[in-house]
Amino acid sequence: LWIGPDWTPMKVKAYTEDGMMRPIQSLIGTRNKAAAIDINNTGPGDFPLNAAAAYASPSLVAQRAQLLTDNQGRYIEGGAVHSVNFDATVEQVQVLLYTDTRQLNAQVELLNGPNNFKQKYEVFTNNGLLNSLYVVFNSPGAGNVVRVTNLAPLEFPCKAFIASV
């Protein structure tokens, strides 16, 4: 996310093992300013990428707002890891990470089996309140786990809201 010629308030790296089964679905806040979003494929040329960016659909915005009201969230100190298991009947999982205006440096993974990640997001932003990370994972099958790792030092905790859709 770029705002102006030389200010990048948020960077997100995303990986998915199978883009058809588990597409990248995310909301990125632009602080109500004119912004540019840059999407790069860092994989080999044998694996092309189809991408689109649009304003958030009302249903996705409503899901995010409901997640905040229906869920207590989990406080994650810098360097800590938090995991949540999901039943095989859950088709989608939503995750929201934010801070109280401090920087957010975290990693969110959808795992299926021990250390076998199917989808992964890594985010850095200088203000985790204005530029929180909201993602939706498709979670087909059994054995799905969402793992959140706070990559920041101890002084920069974050709050994670994780629930099925």
mmCIF file with all atom_site columns, all heavy atoms in Angstrom, residues 145-163:
data_model
loop_
_atom_site.group_PDB
_atom_site.id
_atom_site.type_symbol
_atom_site.label_atom_id
_atom_site.label_alt_id
_atom_site.label_comp_id
_atom_site.label_asym_id
_atom_site.label_entity_id
_atom_site.label_seq_id
_atom_site.pdbx_PDB_ins_code
_atom_site.Cartn_x
_atom_site.Cartn_y
_atom_site.Cartn_z
_atom_site.occupancy
_atom_site.B_iso_or_equiv
_atom_site.pdbx_formal_charge
_atom_site.auth_seq_id
_atom_site.auth_comp_id
_atom_site.auth_asym_id
_atom_site.auth_atom_id
_atom_site.pdbx_PDB_model_num
ATOM 1   N N   . VAL A 1 145 ? -5.747  -25.599 11.116 1.00 0.00 ? 145 VAL A N   1
ATOM 2   C CA  . VAL A 1 145 ? -5.320  -24.827 12.275 1.00 0.00 ? 145 VAL A CA  1
ATOM 3   C C   . VAL A 1 145 ? -4.891  -23.454 11.787 1.00 0.00 ? 145 VAL A C   1
ATOM 4   O O   . VAL A 1 145 ? -4.199  -23.335 10.776 1.00 0.00 ? 145 VAL A O   1
ATOM 5   C CB  . VAL A 1 145 ? -4.129  -25.513 12.991 1.00 0.00 ? 145 VAL A CB  1
ATOM 6   C CG1 . VAL A 1 145 ? -3.610  -24.646 14.119 1.00 0.00 ? 145 VAL A CG1 1
ATOM 7   C CG2 . VAL A 1 145 ? -4.523  -26.885 13.495 1.00 0.00 ? 145 VAL A CG2 1
ATOM 8   N N   . VAL A 1 146 ? -5.302  -22.409 12.498 1.00 0.00 ? 146 VAL A N   1
ATOM 9   C CA  . VAL A 1 146 ? -4.800  -21.064 12.228 1.00 0.00 ? 146 VAL A CA  1
ATOM 10  C C   . VAL A 1 146 ? -3.759  -20.748 13.291 1.00 0.00 ? 146 VAL A C   1
ATOM 11  O O   . VAL A 1 146 ? -4.021  -20.871 14.481 1.00 0.00 ? 146 VAL A O   1
ATOM 12  C CB  . VAL A 1 146 ? -5.932  -20.015 12.257 1.00 0.00 ? 146 VAL A CB  1
ATOM 13  C CG1 . VAL A 1 146 ? -5.370  -18.609 12.197 1.00 0.00 ? 146 VAL A CG1 1
ATOM 14  C CG2 . VAL A 1 146 ? -6.887  -20.252 11.100 1.00 0.00 ? 146 VAL A CG2 1
ATOM 15  N N   . ARG A 1 147 ? -2.566  -20.358 12.841 1.00 0.00 ? 147 ARG A N   1
ATOM 16  C CA  . ARG A 1 147 ? -1.473  -20.025 13.753 1.00 0.00 ? 147 ARG A CA  1
ATOM 17  C C   . ARG A 1 147 ? -1.069  -18.573 13.521 1.00 0.00 ? 147 ARG A C   1
ATOM 18  O O   . ARG A 1 147 ? -0.767  -18.172 12.412 1.00 0.00 ? 147 ARG A O   1
ATOM 19  C CB  . ARG A 1 147 ? -0.279  -20.945 13.525 1.00 0.00 ? 147 ARG A CB  1
ATOM 20  C CG  . ARG A 1 147 ? 0.911   -20.624 14.400 1.00 0.00 ? 147 ARG A CG  1
ATOM 21  C CD  . ARG A 1 147 ? 1.978   -21.695 14.329 1.00 0.00 ? 147 ARG A CD  1
ATOM 22  N NE  . ARG A 1 147 ? 2.551   -21.800 12.994 1.00 0.00 ? 147 ARG A NE  1
ATOM 23  C CZ  . ARG A 1 147 ? 3.390   -22.774 12.637 1.00 0.00 ? 147 ARG A CZ  1
ATOM 24  N NH1 . ARG A 1 147 ? 3.736   -23.724 13.476 1.00 0.00 ? 147 ARG A NH1 1
ATOM 25  N NH2 . ARG A 1 147 ? 3.873   -22.819 11.412 1.00 0.00 ? 147 ARG A NH2 1
ATOM 26  N N   . VAL A 1 148 ? -1.076  -17.784 14.605 1.00 0.00 ? 148 VAL A N   1
ATOM 27  C CA  . VAL A 1 148 ? -0.672  -16.374 14.548 1.00 0.00 ? 148 VAL A CA  1
ATOM 28  C C   . VAL A 1 148 ? 0.623   -16.237 15.323 1.00 0.00 ? 148 VAL A C   1
ATOM 29  O O   . VAL A 1 148 ? 0.717   -16.654 16.478 1.00 0.00 ? 148 VAL A O   1
ATOM 30  C CB  . VAL A 1 148 ? -1.752  -15.454 15.165 1.00 0.00 ? 148 VAL A CB  1
ATOM 31  C CG1 . VAL A 1 148 ? -1.296  -14.009 15.158 1.00 0.00 ? 148 VAL A CG1 1
ATOM 32  C CG2 . VAL A 1 148 ? -3.065  -15.605 14.430 1.00 0.00 ? 148 VAL A CG2 1
ATOM 33  N N   . THR A 1 149 ? 1.630   -15.648 14.697 1.00 0.00 ? 149 THR A N   1
ATOM 34  C CA  . THR A 1 149 ? 2.912   -15.398 15.333 1.00 0.00 ? 149 THR A CA  1
ATOM 35  C C   . THR A 1 149 ? 3.171   -13.903 15.326 1.00 0.00 ? 149 THR A C   1
ATOM 36  O O   . THR A 1 149 ? 3.168   -13.278 14.263 1.00 0.00 ? 149 THR A O   1
ATOM 37  C CB  . THR A 1 149 ? 4.060   -16.112 14.575 1.00 0.00 ? 149 THR A CB  1
ATOM 38  O OG1 . THR A 1 149 ? 3.742   -17.493 14.444 1.00 0.00 ? 149 THR A OG1 1
ATOM 39  C CG2 . THR A 1 149 ? 5.375   -15.951 15.304 1.00 0.00 ? 149 THR A CG2 1
ATOM 40  N N   . ASN A 1 150 ? 3.376   -13.316 16.499 1.00 0.00 ? 150 ASN A N   1
ATOM 41  C CA  . ASN A 1 150 ? 3.720   -11.903 16.589 1.00 0.00 ? 150 ASN A CA  1
ATOM 42  C C   . ASN A 1 150 ? 5.236   -11.802 16.413 1.00 0.00 ? 150 ASN A C   1
ATOM 43  O O   . ASN A 1 150 ? 6.001   -12.230 17.271 1.00 0.00 ? 150 ASN A O   1
ATOM 44  C CB  . ASN A 1 150 ? 3.283   -11.319 17.932 1.00 0.00 ? 150 ASN A CB  1
ATOM 45  C CG  . ASN A 1 150 ? 3.436   -9.822  17.989 1.00 0.00 ? 150 ASN A CG  1
ATOM 46  O OD1 . ASN A 1 150 ? 4.118   -9.227  17.159 1.00 0.00 ? 150 ASN A OD1 1
ATOM 47  N ND2 . ASN A 1 150 ? 2.799   -9.206  18.965 1.00 0.00 ? 150 ASN A ND2 1
ATOM 48  N N   . LEU A 1 151 ? 5.680   -11.258 15.293 1.00 0.00 ? 151 LEU A N   1
ATOM 49  C CA  . LEU A 1 151 ? 7.100   -11.168 14.959 1.00 0.00 ? 151 LEU A CA  1
ATOM 50  C C   . LEU A 1 151 ? 7.778   -9.957  15.592 1.00 0.00 ? 151 LEU A C   1
ATOM 51  O O   . LEU A 1 151 ? 8.995   -9.832  15.536 1.00 0.00 ? 151 LEU A O   1
ATOM 52  C CB  . LEU A 1 151 ? 7.279   -11.108 13.433 1.00 0.00 ? 151 LEU A CB  1
ATOM 53  C CG  . LEU A 1 151 ? 6.704   -12.293 12.652 1.00 0.00 ? 151 LEU A CG  1
ATOM 54  C CD1 . LEU A 1 151 ? 6.778   -12.029 11.165 1.00 0.00 ? 151 LEU A CD1 1
ATOM 55  C CD2 . LEU A 1 151 ? 7.416   -13.567 13.020 1.00 0.00 ? 151 LEU A CD2 1
ATOM 56  N N   . ALA A 1 152 ? 7.002   -9.081  16.195 1.00 0.00 ? 152 ALA A N   1
ATOM 57  C CA  . ALA A 1 152 ? 7.537   -7.857  16.796 1.00 0.00 ? 152 ALA A CA  1
ATOM 58  C C   . ALA A 1 152 ? 8.178   -8.168  18.151 1.00 0.00 ? 152 ALA A C   1
ATOM 59  O O   . ALA A 1 152 ? 7.924   -9.219  18.740 1.00 0.00 ? 152 ALA A O   1
ATOM 60  C CB  . ALA A 1 152 ? 6.413   -6.841  16.971 1.00 0.00 ? 152 ALA A CB  1
ATOM 61  N N   . PRO A 1 153 ? 8.989   -7.243  18.667 1.00 0.00 ? 153 PRO A N   1
ATOM 62  C CA  . PRO A 1 153 ? 9.528   -7.429  20.008 1.00 0.00 ? 153 PRO A CA  1
ATOM 63  C C   . PRO A 1 153 ? 8.428   -7.346  21.074 1.00 0.00 ? 153 PRO A C   1
ATOM 64  O O   . PRO A 1 153 ? 7.292   -6.971  20.790 1.00 0.00 ? 153 PRO A O   1
ATOM 65  C CB  . PRO A 1 153 ? 10.534  -6.284  20.180 1.00 0.00 ? 153 PRO A CB  1
ATOM 66  C CG  . PRO A 1 153 ? 10.470  -5.461  18.963 1.00 0.00 ? 153 PRO A CG  1
ATOM 67  C CD  . PRO A 1 153 ? 9.516   -6.057  18.005 1.00 0.00 ? 153 PRO A CD  1
ATOM 68  N N   . LEU A 1 154 ? 8.781   -7.678  22.294 1.00 0.00 ? 154 LEU A N   1
ATOM 69  C CA  . LEU A 1 154 ? 7.832   -7.746  23.405 1.00 0.00 ? 154 LEU A CA  1
ATOM 70  C C   . LEU A 1 154 ? 7.044   -6.454  23.592 1.00 0.00 ? 154 LEU A C   1
ATOM 71  O O   . LEU A 1 154 ? 5.887   -6.476  24.004 1.00 0.00 ? 154 LEU A O   1
ATOM 72  C CB  . LEU A 1 154 ? 8.605   -8.076  24.694 1.00 0.00 ? 154 LEU A CB  1
ATOM 73  C CG  . LEU A 1 154 ? 7.776   -8.345  25.929 1.00 0.00 ? 154 LEU A CG  1
ATOM 74  C CD1 . LEU A 1 154 ? 6.934   -9.597  25.748 1.00 0.00 ? 154 LEU A CD1 1
ATOM 75  C CD2 . LEU A 1 154 ? 8.662   -8.492  27.146 1.00 0.00 ? 154 LEU A CD2 1
ATOM 76  N N   . GLU A 1 155 ? 7.622   -5.315  23.260 1.00 0.00 ? 155 GLU A N   1
ATOM 77  C CA  . GLU A 1 155 ? 6.981   -4.012  23.476 1.00 0.00 ? 155 GLU A CA  1
ATOM 78  C C   . GLU A 1 155 ? 5.836   -3.734  22.509 1.00 0.00 ? 155 GLU A C   1
ATOM 79  O O   . GLU A 1 155 ? 5.132   -2.744  22.651 1.00 0.00 ? 155 GLU A O   1
ATOM 80  C CB  . GLU A 1 155 ? 8.004   -2.877  23.331 1.00 0.00 ? 155 GLU A CB  1
ATOM 81  C CG  . GLU A 1 155 ? 9.101   -2.895  24.348 1.00 0.00 ? 155 GLU A CG  1
ATOM 82  C CD  . GLU A 1 155 ? 10.252  -3.830  23.963 1.00 0.00 ? 155 GLU A CD  1
ATOM 83  O OE1 . GLU A 1 155 ? 10.306  -4.286  22.792 1.00 0.00 ? 155 GLU A OE1 1
ATOM 84  O OE2 . GLU A 1 155 ? 11.085  -4.126  24.828 1.00 0.00 ? 155 GLU A OE2 1
ATOM 85  N N   . PHE A 1 156 ? 5.630   -4.602  21.507 1.00 0.00 ? 156 PHE A N   1
ATOM 86  C CA  . PHE A 1 156 ? 4.612   -4.359  20.488 1.00 0.00 ? 156 PHE A CA  1
ATOM 87  C C   . PHE A 1 156 ? 3.618   -5.521  20.431 1.00 0.00 ? 156 PHE A C   1
ATOM 88  O O   . PHE A 1 156 ? 3.644   -6.321  19.499 1.00 0.00 ? 156 PHE A O   1
ATOM 89  C CB  . PHE A 1 156 ? 5.264   -4.149  19.118 1.00 0.00 ? 156 PHE A CB  1
ATOM 90  C CG  . PHE A 1 156 ? 6.154   -2.957  19.055 1.00 0.00 ? 156 PHE A CG  1
ATOM 91  C CD1 . PHE A 1 156 ? 7.527   -3.093  19.139 1.00 0.00 ? 156 PHE A CD1 1
ATOM 92  C CD2 . PHE A 1 156 ? 5.618   -1.684  18.917 1.00 0.00 ? 156 PHE A CD2 1
ATOM 93  C CE1 . PHE A 1 156 ? 8.358   -1.988  19.085 1.00 0.00 ? 156 PHE A CE1 1
ATOM 94  C CE2 . PHE A 1 156 ? 6.442   -0.574  18.868 1.00 0.00 ? 156 PHE A CE2 1
ATOM 95  C CZ  . PHE A 1 156 ? 7.807   -0.724  18.953 1.00 0.00 ? 156 PHE A CZ  1
ATOM 96  N N   . PRO A 1 157 ? 2.710   -5.613  21.403 1.00 0.00 ? 157 PRO A N   1
ATOM 97  C CA  . PRO A 1 157 ? 1.704   -6.685  21.371 1.00 0.00 ? 157 PRO A CA  1
ATOM 98  C C   . PRO A 1 157 ? 0.640   -6.400  20.309 1.00 0.00 ? 157 PRO A C   1
ATOM 99  O O   . PRO A 1 157 ? 0.503   -5.278  19.823 1.00 0.00 ? 157 PRO A O   1
ATOM 100 C CB  . PRO A 1 157 ? 1.100   -6.622  22.766 1.00 0.00 ? 157 PRO A CB  1
ATOM 101 C CG  . PRO A 1 157 ? 1.248   -5.199  23.165 1.00 0.00 ? 157 PRO A CG  1
ATOM 102 C CD  . PRO A 1 157 ? 2.545   -4.738  22.559 1.00 0.00 ? 157 PRO A CD  1
ATOM 103 N N   . CYS A 1 158 ? -0.102  -7.437  19.962 1.00 0.00 ? 158 CYS A N   1
ATOM 104 C CA  . CYS A 1 158 ? -1.228  -7.259  19.050 1.00 0.00 ? 158 CYS A CA  1
ATOM 105 C C   . CYS A 1 158 ? -2.423  -8.032  19.600 1.00 0.00 ? 158 CYS A C   1
ATOM 106 O O   . CYS A 1 158 ? -2.299  -8.804  20.540 1.00 0.00 ? 158 CYS A O   1
ATOM 107 C CB  . CYS A 1 158 ? -0.887  -7.723  17.634 1.00 0.00 ? 158 CYS A CB  1
ATOM 108 S SG  . CYS A 1 158 ? -0.650  -9.487  17.428 1.00 0.00 ? 158 CYS A SG  1
ATOM 109 N N   . LYS A 1 159 ? -3.566  -7.794  19.023 1.00 0.00 ? 159 LYS A N   1
ATOM 110 C CA  . LYS A 1 159 ? -4.770  -8.505  19.421 1.00 0.00 ? 159 LYS A CA  1
ATOM 111 C C   . LYS A 1 159 ? -5.283  -9.251  18.210 1.00 0.00 ? 159 LYS A C   1
ATOM 112 O O   . LYS A 1 159 ? -5.361  -8.697  17.114 1.00 0.00 ? 159 LYS A O   1
ATOM 113 C CB  . LYS A 1 159 ? -5.822  -7.541  19.947 1.00 0.00 ? 159 LYS A CB  1
ATOM 114 C CG  . LYS A 1 159 ? -6.923  -8.237  20.699 1.00 0.00 ? 159 LYS A CG  1
ATOM 115 C CD  . LYS A 1 159 ? -7.619  -7.309  21.663 1.00 0.00 ? 159 LYS A CD  1
ATOM 116 C CE  . LYS A 1 159 ? -8.554  -8.109  22.556 1.00 0.00 ? 159 LYS A CE  1
ATOM 117 N NZ  . LYS A 1 159 ? -9.343  -7.256  23.415 1.00 0.00 ? 159 LYS A NZ  1
ATOM 118 N N   . ALA A 1 160 ? -5.630  -10.541 18.391 1.00 0.00 ? 160 ALA A N   1
ATOM 119 C CA  . ALA A 1 160 ? -6.096  -11.390 17.310 1.00 0.00 ? 160 ALA A CA  1
ATOM 120 C C   . ALA A 1 160 ? -7.528  -11.825 17.571 1.00 0.00 ? 160 ALA A C   1
ATOM 121 O O   . ALA A 1 160 ? -7.856  -12.279 18.665 1.00 0.00 ? 160 ALA A O   1
ATOM 122 C CB  . ALA A 1 160 ? -5.197  -12.606 17.161 1.00 0.00 ? 160 ALA A CB  1
ATOM 123 N N   . PHE A 1 161 ? -8.368  -11.679 16.566 1.00 0.00 ? 161 PHE A N   1
ATOM 124 C CA  . PHE A 1 161 ? -9.740  -12.163 16.592 1.00 0.00 ? 161 PHE A CA  1
ATOM 125 C C   . PHE A 1 161 ? -9.827  -13.261 15.526 1.00 0.00 ? 161 PHE A C   1
ATOM 126 O O   . PHE A 1 161 ? -9.583  -12.997 14.356 1.00 0.00 ? 161 PHE A O   1
ATOM 127 C CB  . PHE A 1 161 ? -10.720 -11.040 16.259 1.00 0.00 ? 161 PHE A CB  1
ATOM 128 C CG  . PHE A 1 161 ? -10.762 -9.957  17.286 1.00 0.00 ? 161 PHE A CG  1
ATOM 129 C CD1 . PHE A 1 161 ? -9.832  -8.929  17.272 1.00 0.00 ? 161 PHE A CD1 1
ATOM 130 C CD2 . PHE A 1 161 ? -11.728 -9.971  18.274 1.00 0.00 ? 161 PHE A CD2 1
ATOM 131 C CE1 . PHE A 1 161 ? -9.867  -7.921  18.212 1.00 0.00 ? 161 PHE A CE1 1
ATOM 132 C CE2 . PHE A 1 161 ? -11.769 -8.969  19.231 1.00 0.00 ? 161 PHE A CE2 1
ATOM 133 C CZ  . PHE A 1 161 ? -10.837 -7.953  19.199 1.00 0.00 ? 161 PHE A CZ  1
ATOM 134 N N   . ILE A 1 162 ? -10.151 -14.475 15.946 1.00 0.00 ? 162 ILE A N   1
ATOM 135 C CA  . ILE A 1 162 ? -10.184 -15.622 15.037 1.00 0.00 ? 162 ILE A CA  1
ATOM 136 C C   . ILE A 1 162 ? -11.514 -16.348 15.245 1.00 0.00 ? 162 ILE A C   1
ATOM 137 O O   . ILE A 1 162 ? -11.855 -16.707 16.378 1.00 0.00 ? 162 ILE A O   1
ATOM 138 C CB  . ILE A 1 162 ? -9.012  -16.579 15.311 1.00 0.00 ? 162 ILE A CB  1
ATOM 139 C CG1 . ILE A 1 162 ? -7.674  -15.842 15.231 1.00 0.00 ? 162 ILE A CG1 1
ATOM 140 C CG2 . ILE A 1 162 ? -9.045  -17.759 14.349 1.00 0.00 ? 162 ILE A CG2 1
ATOM 141 C CD1 . ILE A 1 162 ? -6.496  -16.642 15.727 1.00 0.00 ? 162 ILE A CD1 1
ATOM 142 N N   . ALA A 1 163 ? -12.251 -16.593 14.149 1.00 0.00 ? 163 ALA A N   1
ATOM 143 C CA  . ALA A 1 163 ? -13.531 -17.285 14.261 1.00 0.00 ? 163 ALA A CA  1
ATOM 144 C C   . ALA A 1 163 ? -13.930 -17.852 12.902 1.00 0.00 ? 163 ALA A C   1
ATOM 145 O O   . ALA A 1 163 ? -13.428 -17.415 11.857 1.00 0.00 ? 163 ALA A O   1
ATOM 146 C CB  . ALA A 1 163 ? -14.623 -16.343 14.759 1.00 0.00 ? 163 ALA A CB  1
#
